């Protein structure tokens, strides 16, 4: 499977690890660690050495309850990082934003993928994405970050998420975005209870079966913490368990803060899968 993104094609025939760089003061796990351009790029280069094959850069926290930031602040956080990283590496760069203006500037600075938690729902976002030629990651979210965890409800979380993503795909394709430019993200932790998250994860193959690369981002999230009752900095083992299962269920991209360990988990899982047939039975 080849993903068309701007001027390159990304081979997704094997699962890729996406390293997270939050150039923010308030992200739930690593807020404040990469506020300077130099530190953010240093962190990204370290992730690349550890095996990351995509770097995702964001300048606005989307944790539950997070406040929005101004366009100027977000641009000042992410554009210098993208430019400097692009000058030092040819790695595919993803911009994590909901703002069309940031999308446009980020791709012009060297980004290849637009990763939007609102699935290009802001006015003008689909048009900007189409014009940019970048790949797009369409994520499901119920509500907004400020209120999404207050009382999320679904008829059937798997069906509801799939139907939402189908609608967003249709809108993108109608606007001229190629089907080979689209990634899907079920949006674990975005307007979902712990039960919703695990029901959706257990049926991840139903999202994979839609025929598009699927990104899974569960690194250090509360869906892990609520099960093992441990703080953010002690959720690595739980995150690796979910990452391995995501690979088994067919995920194409694993988004993580913990690149080295996640790369190891993914490699071992992919090796094991060589010895299983399509029904999950050992050969």
């Amino acid at each position: 499977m080849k993903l068309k993104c701007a001027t390159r094609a990304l081979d997704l025939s094997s699962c890729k690890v996406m390293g997270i760089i939050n150039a923010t003061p308030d992200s739930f796990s690593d807020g404040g660690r990469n506020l300077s351009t130099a530190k953010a790029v240093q962190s990204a280069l370290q992730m690349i050495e550890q095996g990351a094959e995509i770097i995702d850069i964001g300048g606005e926290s989307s944790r539950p309850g997070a406040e929005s930031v101004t366009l100027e602040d977000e641009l000042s956080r992410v554009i210098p990082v993208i430019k400097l990283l692009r000058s030092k590496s040819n790695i595919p760069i993803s911009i994590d934003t909901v703002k069309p203006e940031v999308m446009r500037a980020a791709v012009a600075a060297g980004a290849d993928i637009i990763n939007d938690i609102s699935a290009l729902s802001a006015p003008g976002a689909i048009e900007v994405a189409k014009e940019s030629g970048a790949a797009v990651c369409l994520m499901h979210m119920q509500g907004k970050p400020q209120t999404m965890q207050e009382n999320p409800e679904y008829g059937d979380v798997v069906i509801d998420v799939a139907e939402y993503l189908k609608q967003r795909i249709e809108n993108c394709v109608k606007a001229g975005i190629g089907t080979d430019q689209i990634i899907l993200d079920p949006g674990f932790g975005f307007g979902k209870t712990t039960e919703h998250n695990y029901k959706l994860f257990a049926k991840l193959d139903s999202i994979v079966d839609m025929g598009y690369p699927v990104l899974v981002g569960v690194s250090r999230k509360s869906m892990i913490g609520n099960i093992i009752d441990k703080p953010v900095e002690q959720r690595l083992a739980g995150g690796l368990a979910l990452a391995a299962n995501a690979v088994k269920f067919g995920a194409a991209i694993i988004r993580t803060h913990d690149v080295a360990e996640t790369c190891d988990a993914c490699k071992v899982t992919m090796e094991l899968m060589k010895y299983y047939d399509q029904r999950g039975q050992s050969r």
Side-chain angles (χ1 to χ4, degrees):
M1 183 181 294
K2 296 279 188 180
L3 179 72
K4 182 182 177 183
C5 37
T7 58
R8 73 182 75 214
L10 179 60
D11 184 0
L12 294 178
S13 57
S14 61
C15 189
K16 300 294 186 285
V17 171
M18 171 188 277
I20 301 168
I21 298 294
N22 287 317
T24 60
D26 58 344
S27 291
F28 82 98
S29 177
D30 57 353
R33 295 183 185 176
N34 293 303
L35 271 180
S36 78
T37 298
K39 183 63 174 66
V41 172
Q42 180 185 10
S43 296
L45 293 174
Q46 183 179 24
M47 288 180 175
I48 294 167
E49 289 180 4
Q50 292 172 340
E53 295 185 73
I54 309 168
I55 296 294
D56 188 47
I57 299 169
E60 179 174 24
S61 174
S62 56
R63 63 177 172 77
E67 295 298 324
S68 59
V69 302
T70 66
L71 172 62
E72 292 73 19
D73 282 348
E74 189 174 350
L75 287 169
S76 69
R77 291 173 181 177
V78 299
I79 300 305
V81 177
I82 293 169
K83 287 182 176 178
L84 184 56
L85 180 58
R86 176 53 69 230
S87 73
K88 294 179 177 292
S89 174
N90 197 39
I91 193 168
I93 296 173
S94 168
I95 176 63
D96 183 353
T97 187
V98 300
K99 297 184 179 72
E101 300 90 344
V102 177
M103 297 173 191
R104 181 183 289 110
V107 175
D112 308 280
I113 301 169
I114 295 169
N115 181 16
D116 183 358
I117 63 171
S118 69
L120 302 179
S121 62
I126 287 181
E127 290 75 16
V128 168
K130 192 267 180 184
E131 292 167 6
S132 74
V136 297
C137 183
L138 308 176
M139 195 195 82
H140 175 274
M141 174 173 56
Q142 188 179 98
K144 302 291 184 183
Q146 292 84 353
T147 58
M148 63 186 179
Q149 291 304 108
E150 289 181 2
N151 187 33
E153 294 182 358
Y154 296 87
D156 182 303
V157 66
V158 180
I159 293 173
D160 292 354
V161 168
E163 288 302 316
Y164 173 85
L165 292 174
K166 286 176 185 176
Q167 184 61 57
R168 298 311 301 161
I169 291 167
E170 182 179 335
N171 291 349
C172 287
V173 173
K174 282 183 178 178
I177 294 173
T179 56
D180 58 351
Q181 294 173 259
I182 295 173
I183 307 165
L184 303 180
D185 181 350
F188 295 107
F190 285 82
K192 299 170 183 72
T193 65
T194 299
E195 182 179 2
H196 291 145
N197 285 317
Y198 282 95
K199 281 185 176 180
L200 182 59
F201 201 104
K203 295 291 186 180
L204 186 64
D205 58 344
S206 67
I207 306 299
V208 172
D209 287 346
M210 292 171 65
Y212 296 87
V214 172
L215 181 151
V216 169
V218 294
S219 177
R220 304 181 184 176
K221 287 186 176 179
S222 61
M223 68 178 287
I224 301 168
N226 290 343
I227 300 302
I228 63 176
D229 193 26
K230 291 184 177 179
V232 167
E233 62 274 11
Q234 295 178 26
R235 297 176 185 173
L236 174 60
L240 295 179
L242 289 178
N245 277 285
V247 174
K248 184 178 179 181
F249 292 153
I253 302 171
I254 306 295
R255 184 178 182 271
T256 184
H257 303 86
D258 304 297
V259 167
E261 297 88 347
T262 302
C263 284
D264 287 349
C266 290
K267 286 177 182 177
V268 171
T269 305
M270 285 188 284
E271 182 64 24
L272 178 63
M273 289 172 63
K274 293 178 183 178
Y275 299 91
Y276 279 72
D277 64 22
Q278 290 182 347
R279 295 169 298 171
Q281 302 297 317
S282 59
R283 292 173 176 168

